[in-house]
Amino acid sequence: MRLLRSTDLALRVLMRLAVTADAMPTTRQVAADMDVPYTHAAKVVAELQHLGLVHARRGRGGGLALTERGRTASVGAVVRTFEGDGDVVDCDGATQGTPPCPLRSACRLRGALRGAQEAFYAALDPLTVAEIVDEPTGPLLLGISRRPGLD
């Protein structure tokens, strides 16, 4: 299973904010730190804000901060939200222009893939954002966020 770019970025933004509680980086700074286009970061930050995981303050002295809900958020729940709850494989032809699989009515693979997907989420569910930035990750993130020329 491969995560969507937006899911990966959402997790990295949450992790970045979890280790910089005393500072409020801007979306532009976070995008630069993560080496992603600003427009992608802005969309992800807007969704994280909508979910109540991130607080964004505009203007002078503004920036992004992780909310308490964001700090205690389940990594599995964040991934589910960004990935959606669709199947790993499009057996029904839900994607426009894709014909349904002729095996869908008697295929055992679909159930096995659904089980594997649920096991994937179950492994992430007990982890919180705060826990995934414990050592050695947190100090590395701090080093990335303090690269010269980005402040």
Side-chain angles (χ1 to χ4, degrees), residues 29-110:
Q29 288 170 321
V30 170
D33 290 350
M34 298 297 159
D35 198 23
V36 297
Y38 169 76
T39 54
H40 294 292
K43 287 178 187 176
V44 167
V45 166
E47 181 63 18
L48 291 171
Q49 185 178 7
H50 175 74
L51 295 169
L53 305 177
V54 169
H55 172 71
R57 188 169 52 187
R58 301 185 130 217
R60 190 172 198 87
L64 305 174
L66 192 62
T67 64
E68 186 56 33
R69 182 176 180 185
R71 184 169 301 290
T72 61
S74 161
V75 173
V78 172
V79 172
R80 273 188 189 88
T81 299
F82 276 85
E83 291 292 312
D85 52 358
D87 288 325
V88 175
V89 177
D90 181 17
C91 300
D92 296 323
T95 306
Q96 191 175 21
T98 305
C101 176
L103 302 174
R104 74 184 181 281
S105 64
C107 182
R108 296 178 65 196
L109 179 60
R110 184 178 191 177

Side-chain angles (χ1 to χ4, degrees), residues 13 16-31 33 45 54-57 61-66 145 150-151:
V13 167
R16 164 69 162 77
L17 295 176
V19 298
T20 55
D22 56 336
M24 289 186 65
T26 64
T27 302
R28 196 165 301 283
Q29 288 170 321
V30 170
D33 290 350
V45 166
V54 169
H55 172 71
R57 188 169 52 187
L64 305 174
L66 192 62
S145 65
L150 294 180
D151 293 329

